[in-house]
Amino acid sequence: MGASRPAISVQGLTKRFGGFTAVDSVSFEVQPGEVVGYLGPNGSGKTTTIRMLCGLLSPTAGTAQVMGVDVVRDPEGVKPHIGYMSQKFALYDDLTVRENLEFYAEVYEVPREVEQERLAEVIRLAGLEGRTGALASELSGGWRQRLALGCALVHRPPLLFLDEPTSGVDPVARREFWDVIYQLAAAGTTVFVTTHYMDEAEHCGRVGFMHRGRLLAYDTPRALKAQHLHGVAWDLAANPLLEAVEVLSGLPGIAQARLHGDRAHVIVTPGDWTPENLTARLAGHGITVSAVQPVEPTLEDVFTLLAHQ
Ligand SMILES: Nc1ncnc2c1ncn2[C@@H]1O[C@H](COP(=O)(O)OP(=O)(O)OP(=O)(O)O)[C@@H](O)[C@H]1O
Ligand SMILES: [Mg+2]
């Protein structure tokens, strides 16, 4: 297969609000059919990035091509190619599920002759069967998210932006929602999704990690962990344990120390510490270390480390 055009290609994308830089020279590419997870703390610039890519907010600097359209020059031109489920999506509470879908079909100019067929497809995909007559106001959180997803899909966009689609949704509903995402991806849809859930990130083809407007990492979950395999996450047994965590939290070169069952989980900046000198340091505080061993870092450990550096 020849190199296909990326679904998203971003170079130096920047957004400033007055003197504040919300998105700081971000660059990345998303290939067609990929599921990319975008993570980062509150306020790190995820939504702002998506809004620029959807042509809803003009960048201060940088360029972005979305489905081959230059977003800076032609923000309106991207809209037919994308679906966007925003963080605070609008459903019409006094309309039924079906009426909400019909409304969005009209907004996205779905041709009349295919509308019924398209709605049936979306209802099936989003798992809304049996609920089409319910008022949106009567839906629980998980069903509302599915309806919102359905609304973002009525024009069959090849690229879907989902901004925290599963926030506040119970674990079973979250899994079901992700099943829909996988189905869409399997059928060729490119998905760019923000989340705060690490388990969701683990299941993305690639993940980006935003911190204070900057994209600190962008790779497969496996590669991100592999880059930090050696000596980043340690499992430590000590007595008294709580004091050990307290002392460790105050040491330079320790990104994080927290209780993990009857052990402590410690994230160490590479270079400064060895199990031996850390044990000696804790001994100086009257703490006995009975075991320290490196463990395979989780994605969360890697992000904790990156955010600390
Ligand atoms: N229109 C605006 N005017 C001024 N500041 C803004 C505007 N929109 C966003 N910001 C600021 O930009 C920063 C990034 O916001 P953004 O919504 O992109 O973060 P986020 O990563 O999506 O956070 P969350 O996880 O809470 O949704 C925040 O500090 C926010 O207050
Ligand atoms: Mg956001």
Side-chain angles (χ1 to χ4, degrees):
M1 245 173 66
S4 54
R5 184 188 68 195
I8 305 174
S9 176
V10 170
Q11 306 88 22
L13 195 67
T14 299
K15 183 67 188 180
R16 279 189 278 275
F17 295 110
F20 175 73
T21 306
V23 174
D24 191 358
S25 197
V26 162
S27 304
F28 64 89
E29 278 190 356
V30 177
Q31 301 307 323
E34 268 197 294
V35 177
V36 168
Y38 218 53
L39 283 90
N42 293 135
S44 54
K46 304 180 297 295
T47 297
T48 304
T49 301
I50 287 186
R51 289 178 58 81
M52 287 191 279
L53 298 179
C54 290
L56 298 168
L57 192 65
S58 64
T60 309
T63 59
Q65 288 79 38
V66 173
M67 300 307 294
V69 178
D70 183 328
V71 178
V72 180
R73 281 202 209 122
D74 186 13
E76 285 302 313
V78 297
K79 291 179 185 169
H81 304 290
I82 61 168
Y84 173 41
M85 180 175 159
S86 70
Q87 206 170 347
K88 296 191 186 97
F89 54 83
L91 295 176
Y92 291 89
D93 275 343
D94 52 346
L95 296 184
T96 64
V97 166
R98 174 175 283 277
E99 287 164 348
N100 268 283
L101 292 170
E102 283 167 354
F103 174 82
Y104 279 93
E106 214 150 287
V107 168
Y108 286 118
E109 296 174 358
V110 173
R112 274 287 145 112
E113 58 275 21
V114 299
E115 185 180 315
Q116 287 312 310
E117 178 194 332
R118 199 63 68 74
L119 291 190
E121 180 184 303
V122 163
I123 287 164
R124 184 184 53 74
L125 249 175
L128 292 164
E129 296 107 331
R131 288 299 182 100
T132 51
L135 287 176
S137 61
E138 294 167 354
L139 300 177
S140 68
W143 286 97
R144 284 182 77 84
Q145 309 288 102
R146 285 203 216 180
L147 175 55
L149 175 66
C151 291
L153 287 173
V154 286
H155 57 306
R156 243 189 216 158
L159 171 60
L160 195 55
F161 290 98
L162 306 173
D163 199 356
E164 291 191 38
T166 56
S167 73
V169 171
D170 76 59
V172 174
R174 282 212 288 136
R175 208 166 321 125
E176 287 170 356
F177 195 96
W178 273 86
D179 283 341
V180 178
I181 293 180
Y182 293 137
Q183 277 180 45
L184 289 166
T189 304
T190 309
V191 181
F192 188 91
V193 52
T194 73
T195 179
H196 287 290
Y197 297 107
M198 288 296 156
D199 60 324
E200 296 184 352
E202 290 275 1
H203 292 110
C204 291
R206 274 201 278 186
V207 291
F209 180 62
M210 290 281 287
H211 186 68
R212 296 189 182 145
R214 308 196 60 187
L215 183 62
L216 295 188
Y218 186 70
D219 214 328
T220 63
R222 181 199 284 255
L224 286 172
K225 285 184 274 189
Q227 284 158 23
H228 299 279
L229 257 187
H230 302 291
V232 161
W234 294 358
D235 183 67
L236 178 135
N239 189 24
L241 188 61
L242 213 56
E243 257 178 74
V245 167
E246 237 164 67
V247 170
L248 288 166
S249 299
L251 292 177
I254 303 293
Q256 191 188 67
R258 60 181 157 81
L259 285 175
H260 186 72
D262 60 352
R263 304 282 184 120
H265 187 72
V266 187
I267 321 268
V268 186
T269 310
D272 296 339
W273 294 102
T274 62
E276 293 74 29
N277 65 18
L278 198 71
T279 300
R281 181 64 175 258
L282 287 172
H285 291 265
I287 297 161
T288 311
V289 173
S290 50
V292 205
Q293 62 194 134
V295 289
E296 194 176 321
T298 63
L299 208 48
E300 188 166 13
D301 293 341
V302 173
F303 291 160
T304 302
L305 181 74
L306 290 170
H308 185 81
Q309 283 172 342

